[in-house]
Amino acid sequence: MALEASMGRRQHQRPPPPPSYSSAGNGVIFMPTNGMPAATAHHRLRLNPSADHNPDSYDDLELEFSPLLYSSLERYLPPAMLSMSRDTKLLYMRSILLRYSPDGERNRPLNRELYTMHATNFFVPSFLKAINDNTVESFKSIMTESSPGIYTFEMLQPHFCEMLLSEVDNFERWVHKKKVRIMRPNTMNNYGAVLDDFGLEDMLDKLMNDFIRPISRVFFPDVGGSTLDSHHGFVVEYGAHRDVELGFHVDDSEVTLNVCLGKEFSGGELFFRGVRCDNHVNSETKSDEILDYSHVPGHAVLHRGRNRHGARATTSGWRANLLLWCKSSAFRELKKYQRDFSSWCAECKREKKEKLRLSVAATKEELLKREVNSAS
């Protein structure tokens, strides 16, 4: 989506008038009547976005809502509508937005640069060089493996961190002013924002596909690192009048990127306690699985989502982190038919090793008995 040019330099177009709609059954069905094909009348929005659809740009239109919102919402259109003209899709989406958003409830982007991927402005040079070289050696050159499967490295420039924090603050001020109820990042965090909710979905897709997946392909092939195809991106906040700590848990992801955005704070260390499958998520921790990590603004932690972890209390100041949960639909589908997770679950691996040891011991004992019997 092109966001480079100033809106003041564009020749704006007026969108077509909104269609009418009515409600029916136990959900709203939008029934356009202003020139929209009848085939769309009874379609509903998808529950999940179409991952492989490339949405149109709406930047050249003068709209009540952000053009980014239209591009993001387009991914949720019914499959039959995705190939229709931009005007047809615009009519449909505008009717939905007008139906559910009263006059004046419009959140405007504060930093338009943030909504497209500007790698040289977002990332530190060492990270960008490693990605461009795209070799195991280049990745290892910038990373510290603090514990098996947990990698830390410098990633984001201060300018990007400041922009993202100001954008989240802008969104939260709008939410507070309009008394809008929004979905929080997850069931454990009461503060923070889902970044896809205000138009950052495309930028985060680019972040996952072009920057995190190449690294995950090398370091996390056992959990679908090479087939990451969807994400959940959000910012969490800790400190006074915010969340204080985060309990022991695993993420709903195959690979998790966690980057500290700042600012000044004490405490809030991450603690890791080993990778586990569902069957062993509550098993005891071994000494070699224990890691405590102190956040540094701009620095990232990359780990398997199934690595059990939590965050200690932020004792002073205010801390914010960018989280990107990267998921693989292929890995999740295959996992449904698997029983052995020893390639990535530490407890499964220990159990498998112990079964092998017992089997070898039993075989040796049986051979010894046969030798004794044959000798007698």
Side-chain angles (χ1 to χ4, degrees), residues 18 42 123-124 141 143 179 240 271 293 308 314 326 340 344:
H42 296 284
F123 304 121
V124 297
S141 71
M143 292 183 172
K179 297 180 172 56
F271 59 91
Y293 170 79
R308 302 174 300 175
T314 298
C326 304
D340 178 14
W344 53 271

Side-chain angles (χ1 to χ4, degrees), residues 4 185 221 260 281 330 346:
E4 302 290 345
C260 182
V281 71

Side-chain angles (χ1 to χ4, degrees), residues 134-190:
N134 195 26
T135 65
V136 176
E137 292 73 22
S138 68
F139 296 149
K140 287 184 175 180
S141 71
I142 64 168
M143 292 183 172
T144 299
E145 190 173 9
S146 304
S147 183
I150 302 173
Y151 300 92
T152 60
F153 50 94
E154 188 178 7
M155 182 180 182
L156 297 179
Q157 292 191 29
H159 173 62
F160 175 88
C161 297
E162 291 167 3
M163 275 201 307
L164 184 55
L165 288 175
S166 66
E167 196 70 27
V168 171
D169 181 66
N170 179 59
F171 177 69
E172 290 184 338
R173 288 175 183 273
W174 174 79
V175 166
H176 179 74
K177 179 180 179 181
K178 298 300 180 181
K179 297 180 172 56
V180 177
R181 295 185 63 183
I182 62 171
M183 182 181 296
R184 291 303 177 181
N186 52 63
T187 58
M188 301 181 72
N189 287 99
N190 297 313

Side-chain angles (χ1 to χ4, degrees), residues 201-333:
E201 181 178 8
D202 287 346
M203 189 274 285
L204 294 177
D205 267 341
K206 190 80 171 174
L207 173 59
M208 181 187 71
N209 293 331
D210 295 351
F211 298 90
I212 302 306
R213 190 163 59 196
I215 298 174
S216 300
R217 181 182 295 116
V218 172
F219 296 108
F220 305 116
D222 52 351
V223 292
S226 63
T227 57
L228 301 176
D229 56 8
S230 66
H231 74 264
H232 175 50
F234 55 95
V235 166
V236 291
E237 302 173 70
Y238 297 90
H241 311 298
R242 292 290 187 269
D243 291 315
V244 176
E245 60 187 4
L246 186 64
F248 195 49
H249 67 285
V250 297
D251 295 338
D252 182 19
S253 69
E254 275 60 73
V255 177
T256 291
L257 174 73
N258 185 341
V259 195
C260 182
L261 301 173
K263 296 182 177 179
E264 296 183 2
F265 57 89
S266 299
E269 299 87 356
L270 281 177
F271 59 91
F272 291 91
R273 296 298 184 263
V275 182
R276 297 291 188 275
C277 66
D278 289 338
N279 295 331
H280 297 119
V281 71
N282 293 315
S283 62
E284 65 176 292
T285 301
K286 306 301 180 184
S287 59
D288 62 347
E289 297 177 314
I290 296 175
L291 172 68
D292 287 10
Y293 170 79
S294 297
H295 288 288
V296 178
H299 286 237
V301 184
L302 192 68
H303 61 88
R304 292 176 180 84
R306 297 295 308 188
N307 199 320
R308 302 174 300 175
H309 61 283
R312 293 198 171 89
T314 298
T315 53
S316 66
W318 177 81
R319 174 173 68 85
N321 283 59
L322 164 65
L323 276 296
L324 190 68
W325 286 358
C326 304
K327 309 178 185 185
S328 166
S329 56
F331 175 77
R332 294 187 176 209
E333 185 64 24

